[in-house]
């Protein structure tokens, strides 16, 4: 990048190479933001695009903005996004099937038309030469000083207003998310007393997970009869329908194990047929026996 | 002195304001406040009159400009007063007779719980009428004119619990509106023609422009005549006057003697310059006057209701005045003179009629009266003097003024003069007849009293002094006013600077006219005596001849109005409604339906999905970018 | 290479972001796409700043970032409160304002 040149028409080759590589990444990131099914993936793609843009800012001599882009956007705003995504539910993958009639077509027409018009407009403008920021960045002793000079002189009024806007936004966010507590919070003692009085689930809730094979919170515990215990999974996951029922899986594997052990011991056919037919329903007894067999 | 003119109007206006807004706490003193303020106004009038007498005949006009009411570019309406001899005459008549009627009402309305309100309306009536006569421009005159209409509406319908009174009030108001249209059109024409409303601008210009703008001035004259017909109850707008008897009797006296009906005569006299410049309009005026004086007289003959008979007589007498005013400078003075004398005797007659009704349980049918002279001596005497005055008994005031009008009619000259004079004489004969009839049926003959609806036998008695004193004063006026005015042509000299006066050139000598008048008077009285004095009056009205029956129905005026105006209006309305339903509604509904259909389709765009709206936004932005690029390319 | 290429890239990113707003139903993703559009604008501003050789474009980009931050804060707060009451973050579910 020519530092002192008043006008130039070409950037350095290094920048060109960088542009073509990172530009592709930026476009891919943007497409990923739009097309990824899960919002968490969208957020990560967007973060990638933003980092690329930060690099572009730096490459174009906007050093301050490049740093701000990383700190504010990828650092703060994207984290805020991730935070909300987590709050709302990460696994709720969106269906990309369109529900509004004609929306896709209209979006395509408008988007394409708009993009074509923008590009036509840019190519129509005569942008064969450019000044470069070498001069502007050195006048006040650096890019940050130059920006500060402008911010606190020419744009000071806008700056003040933006400050007011930020405060308003902060207050607004608090007002919007604040929930008034209308009754006293119940103590642990009161809760336990209420449980006993209602006579429902007096003991602690069962822990999730089935044996040592699964200990994830979304796997419900199995009851002695082999069915799952809904209570063992957090109500949030239950509401979202994110319970992974592995009881059938476990049954099948146990049955396999039992078969193979019987075969290995050469005692097949010894057990009465009636008992064997019960196997599917009375998983508990099978389990016990299978474990004995395994030993 | 100039401020006194304003105070003259302000006093009764203040009374109206105080009485109508004061509420019940003024109930006990309301009538005194109203009467005192009317009296105060009369005192102001007398002071101004004394001041005026002290000046030269040509310099007696007082003007007072209060403020500019509507200053809009070239359109300037002022509130200003002009008090000349003509206005002065009216001011004294209005405040004088008005005050007497106020005093009379104290007794007459003593038992009415809404007496305070009644006095408020009376004061409003006086204020409006005073404003009308002292205004120095037509615009302000119009304000007073409408104020009179309003006050008359309120007073005629004062007993609004009676449907007949409410209807009569509406009738008076609506018929007056027709006349008011005439006045407003006339004022608009004046403004476009002369660029002003002021008397001192319009009238001289009218005189000068009589040749150049003849048609316009004739038009103004006709419109003013229409206005006068409305207020003064002249044919064809006479129908409200008879029904206006539904109001309390003092109101009838006030309307007939001092205010309201005299406004038309004032308007024509005041606008004399315009009529002088428009002979066609003048002809129309005399025609209206002559027709009305006969019309009213005939109606008066057939009515058995004492107040309606007197109402017919008013119509007839005002007809005399209008006819005189239409004669031009030879008649103006006598029109006003008859107006003043009529003010005295007609007020006296109405107050007398009210006194009779007061004593007879509010009975109005003269066939149920009879022989009352012994029971109500004061009423009998004052009513009798008023009667003698109105028929033109020699020496009494009606004799001088009516005689002069008939003389002036003959002096008009030519065939017209003969016709008008003949009409005047015929009217005088009929007047003598019907007034004698009223007199005989009420005060003479045997008793024909019957108990009223609740079975109360009437006990005729003399009215309280608050009622008799005004009657006595008015009787004095009825007797002496004419002679006083005629002595040395006093009244002619008094009014001449304002209205102008010319003697005219009569084909008949004054003596002959007087003799003829006397002759018809005797004939009229004689016939009446033959019919009602010599033989007993039947308690129930006989069927009567065709003319009698028609006259009982006010010569079919209401039937005419009904057939021509109401039916015609109904047909017009019906066809307009049909047009409205089929054509106008068709267009409107069609437009509405197409807009509705279009909206139904457009509504689908508003599907509530924010993403659809976003598409529209992006599309709009694309269009904007395209437009920008195109403009740059061009 | 001419710096105008940055502008083409900016236009491309903007259009992709706009399409995302139109297509996606998840309010959070829609917001991300809006952020993408804002970033594309910022890139254009920075590039223009370079083309003209003054820092005004960068100042504007800076302001854009601040406004974007404010917008995200409020927008996400709205999403959270909507989610709390309706258990959904889909923009199509918030269509109660239609006739």
């Amino acid at each position: 990048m020519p530092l002192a040149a008043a006008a130039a028409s070409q950037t350095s080759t290094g920048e060109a190479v960088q542009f073509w590589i990172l530009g592709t990444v930026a476009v891919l990131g943007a497409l990923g933001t739009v097309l990824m099914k899960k919002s968490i993936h969208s957020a990560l793609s967007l973060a990638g695009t933003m980092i690329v843009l930060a690099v572009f800012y730096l490459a174009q001599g906007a050093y301050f903005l490049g740093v701000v882009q990383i700190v504010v956007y990828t650092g703060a705003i994207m984290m805020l996004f991730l935070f909300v995504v987590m709050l709302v539910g990460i696994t709720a993958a969106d269906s990309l099937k369109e529900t509004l009639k004609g929306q896709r077509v209209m979006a395509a027409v408008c988007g394409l038309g708009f993009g074509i018009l923008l590009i036509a407009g840019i190519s129509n403008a005569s942008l064969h030469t450019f000044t470069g920021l070498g001069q502007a960045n050195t006048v006040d002793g650096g890019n940050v000083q130059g920006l500060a000079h402008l911010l606190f002189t020419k744009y000071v009024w806008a700056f003040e207003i933006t400050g007011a806007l930020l405060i308003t936004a902060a207050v607004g966010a608090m007002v919007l998310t604040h929930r008034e507590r209308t009754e006293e919070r119940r103590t642990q003692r009161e809760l336990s007393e209420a449980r006993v009085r209602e006579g429902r689930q007096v003991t602690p809730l069962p822990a999730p997970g089935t044996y040592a094979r699964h200990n994830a919170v979304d796997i419900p515990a199995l009851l002695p009869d082999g069915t799952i215990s809904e209570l063992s999974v957090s109500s949030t996951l239950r509401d979202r329908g994110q319970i992974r029922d592995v009881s059938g899986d476990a049954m099948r594997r146990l049955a396999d194990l039992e078969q193979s052990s019987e075969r290995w011991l050469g005692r097949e056919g010894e057990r009465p047929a009636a008992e064997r037919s019960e196997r599917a329903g009375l998983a508990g007894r099978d389990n016990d026996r299978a474990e004995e067999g395994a030993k | 002195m100039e401020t006194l003119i304003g105070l003259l109007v302000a006093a009764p206006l203040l009374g109206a304001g105080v009485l109508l807004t004061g509420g019940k706490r003024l109930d006990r003193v309301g009538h005194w406040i109203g009467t005192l303020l009317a009296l105060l106004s009369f005192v102001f009038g007398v002071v101004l009159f004394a001041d005026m007498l002290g000046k030269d005949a040509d310099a007696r006009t007082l003007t007072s400009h209060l403020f500019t009411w509507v200053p809009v570019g070239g359109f300037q309406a002022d509130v200003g007063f002009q008090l000349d001899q003509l206005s002065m005459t009216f001011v004294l008549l209005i405040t004088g007779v008005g005050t007497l009627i106020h005093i009379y009402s104290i007794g007459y309305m003593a038992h009415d719980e809404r007496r305070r309100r009644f006095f408020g309306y009376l004061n409003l009536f006086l204020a409006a009428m005073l404003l009308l006569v002292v205004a120095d421009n037509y615009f302000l005159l119009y304000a007073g004119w409408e104020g009179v209409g309003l006050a008359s509406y309120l007073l005629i319908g004062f007993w609004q619990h009676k449907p007949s009174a409410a209807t009569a009030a509406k009738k008076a108001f609506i018929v007056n509106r027709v006349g008011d249209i005439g006045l407003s059109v006339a004022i608009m024409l004046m403004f476009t023609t002369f660029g002003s409303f002021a008397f001192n601008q319009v009238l001289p210009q009218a005189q000068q422009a009589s040749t150049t703008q003849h048609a316009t001035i004739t038009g103004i004259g006709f419109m003013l005549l229409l206005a006068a017909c409305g207020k003064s109850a002249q044919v064809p707008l006479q129908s409200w006057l008879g029904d206006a008897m539904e109001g309390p009797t003092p109101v009838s006296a006030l309307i007939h003697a001092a205010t309201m009906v005299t406004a038309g005569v004032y308007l024509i006299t005041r606008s004399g310059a315009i009529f002088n410049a428009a002979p066609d309009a003048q002809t129309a005026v005399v025609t209206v006057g002559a027709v009305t004086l006969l019309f009213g007289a005939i109606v008066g003959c057939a009515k058995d209701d004492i107040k309606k008979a007197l109402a017919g007589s008013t119509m007839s007498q005002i007809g005399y005045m209008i006819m005189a005013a239409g004669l031009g400078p030879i008649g103006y003075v006598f029109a006003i003179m008859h107006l003043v004398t009529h003010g005295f005797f007609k007020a006296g007659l109405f107050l007398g009629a009210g006194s009779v009704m007061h004593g007879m349980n509010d009975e109005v049918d003269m066939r149920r009266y009879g022989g009352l002279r012994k029971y109500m001596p004061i009423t009998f005497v004052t009513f009798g003097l008023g009667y003698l005055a109105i028929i033109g008994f020699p020496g009494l005031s009606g004799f001088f003024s009516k005689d002069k009008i008939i003389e002036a009619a003959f002096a008009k000259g030519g065939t017209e003069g003969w016709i008008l004079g003949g009409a005047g004489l015929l009217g005088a004969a009929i007047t003598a007849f019907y007034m004698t009839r009223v007199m005989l049926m009420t005060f003479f003959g045997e008793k024909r009293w019957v108990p009223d609806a609740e079975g109360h036998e009437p006990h005729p008695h003399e009215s309280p002094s608050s009622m008799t004193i005004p009657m006595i004063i008015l009787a004095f006026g009825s007797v002496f006013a004419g002679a006083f005015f005629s002595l040395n042509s006093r009244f002619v000299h008094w009014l001449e600077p304002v209205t102008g006066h010319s003697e005219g050139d009569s084909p008949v000598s004054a003596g002959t006219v007087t003799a003829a008048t006397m002759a018809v008077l005797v004939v009229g009285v004689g016939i009446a005596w033959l019919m009602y004095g010599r033989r007993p009056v039947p308690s129930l009205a006989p069927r009567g001849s065709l003319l009698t029956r028609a006259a009982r129905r006010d010569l079919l005026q209401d039937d005419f109005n009904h057939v021509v105006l109401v039916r015609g209006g109904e047909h017009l309305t019906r066809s307009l409604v049909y047009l409205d339903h089929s054509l106008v509604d068709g267009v409107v509904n069609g437009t509405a339906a197409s807009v509705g259909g279009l909206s139904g389709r457009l509504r689908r765009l508003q599907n509530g999905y924010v993403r659809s709206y976003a598409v529209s936004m992006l599309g709009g932005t694309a269009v904007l970018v395209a437009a920008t690029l195109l403009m740059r390319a061009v | 290479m001419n710096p105008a290429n940055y502008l083409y890239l900016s236009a491309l990113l903007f259009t992709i972001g706009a399409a995302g707003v139109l297509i996606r139903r998840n309010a959070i993703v829609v917001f991300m796409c809006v952020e993408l559009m804002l970033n594309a604008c910022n890139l254009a501003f920075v590039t223009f700043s370079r083309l003209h050789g003054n820092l005004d474009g960068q100042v504007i980009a800076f302001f854009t970032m601040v406004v974007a931050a404010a917008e995200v804060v409020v927008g996400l707060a709205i999403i959270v409160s909507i989610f709390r009451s309706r258990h959904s973050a889909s923009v199509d579910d918030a269509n109660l304002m239609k006739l």
Side-chain angles (χ1 to χ4, degrees), chain A residues 10-11 15 34 36 50 57 60 69 73 94-95 97 103 123 127 131-133 143 154-155 162 177, chain C residues 1-2 6 8 14-15 22 24-26 35 39 42 47 50-51 53 56 58 65-66 68 83-84:
Chain A
Q10 293 292 314
T11 59
E15 200 189 335
V34 174
M36 288 293 183
M50 283 177 172
Y57 294 170
Q60 298 210 66
Q69 171 83 359
Y73 261 116
D94 292 346
S95 144
K97 194 162 177 281
Q103 173 78 5
S123 55
L127 298 167
T131 313
L133 283 169
N143 177 253
K154 193 174 172 184
Y155 293 100
T162 332
T177 50
Chain C
M1 183 198 81
N2 192 296
Y6 286 112
Y8 290 120
F14 189 92
T15 312
L22 301 184
R24 296 304 298 259
R25 277 197 300 275
N26 188 331
E35 291 302 313
N39 269 285
N42 277 354
T47 308
R50 184 186 187 191
L51 290 175
D56 291 58
Q58 294 187 19
M65 283 182 187
V66 177
F83 184 79
R84 220 187 253 160

Side-chain angles (χ1 to χ4, degrees), chain B residues 317-379:
Chain B
Q317 299 302 313
I318 302 283
Y320 272 110
M321 298 172 210
I322 295 279
M323 185 177 84
L327 294 172
I330 46 174
Y332 291 134
V333 173
F334 302 121
I336 302 300
M337 189 162 122
H338 191 56
L339 193 148
V340 176
T341 55
H342 173 255
F344 283 115
F345 57 69
K346 185 51 65 66
L349 287 171
F350 263 110
L351 296 190
S355 177
V356 169
M357 285 160 58
H358 197 72
M360 293 292 289
N361 292 347
D362 285 332
E363 177 63 72
V364 291
D365 191 347
M366 292 188 288
R367 292 186 189 278
R368 311 266 164 85
Y369 292 166
L372 289 175
R373 66 180 184 280
K374 278 175 263 165
Y375 301 91
M376 304 178 164
I378 302 177
T379 307

Side-chain angles (χ1 to χ4, degrees), chain C:
Chain C
M1 183 198 81
N2 192 296
N5 285 353
Y6 286 112
L7 296 178
Y8 290 120
L9 177 63
S10 161
L12 195 56
L13 293 181
F14 189 92
T15 312
I16 292 172
V21 170
L22 301 184
I23 291 168
R24 296 304 298 259
R25 277 197 300 275
N26 188 331
I28 302 171
V29 180
V30 169
F31 249 96
M32 289 182 202
C33 293
V34 170
E35 291 302 313
L36 183 62
M37 289 160 78
L38 287 168
N39 269 285
C41 290
N42 277 354
L43 178 62
F45 277 126
V46 170
T47 308
F48 281 128
S49 165
R50 184 186 187 191
L51 290 175
H52 293 294
N54 61 35
L55 294 177
D56 291 58
Q58 294 187 19
V59 174
I60 304 291
F62 173 73
F63 282 133
T64 313
M65 283 182 187
V66 177
V67 172
E71 179 225 331
V72 165
V73 168
V74 177
L76 289 179
I78 292 173
I79 288 175
V80 167
S81 49
I82 288 180
F83 184 79
R84 220 187 253 160
S85 62
R86 303 179 61 86
H87 295 284
S88 160
S90 168
V91 289
D92 285 359
D93 287 346
N95 66 343
L96 301 174
M97 295 289 280
K98 73 170 173 183
L99 282 170

Side-chain angles (χ1 to χ4, degrees), chain B residues 17 180 259 264 343 492-493 525 549 622:
Chain B
D180 295 347
T259 59
V492 175
H493 294 313
V525 172
R549 272 178 284 151

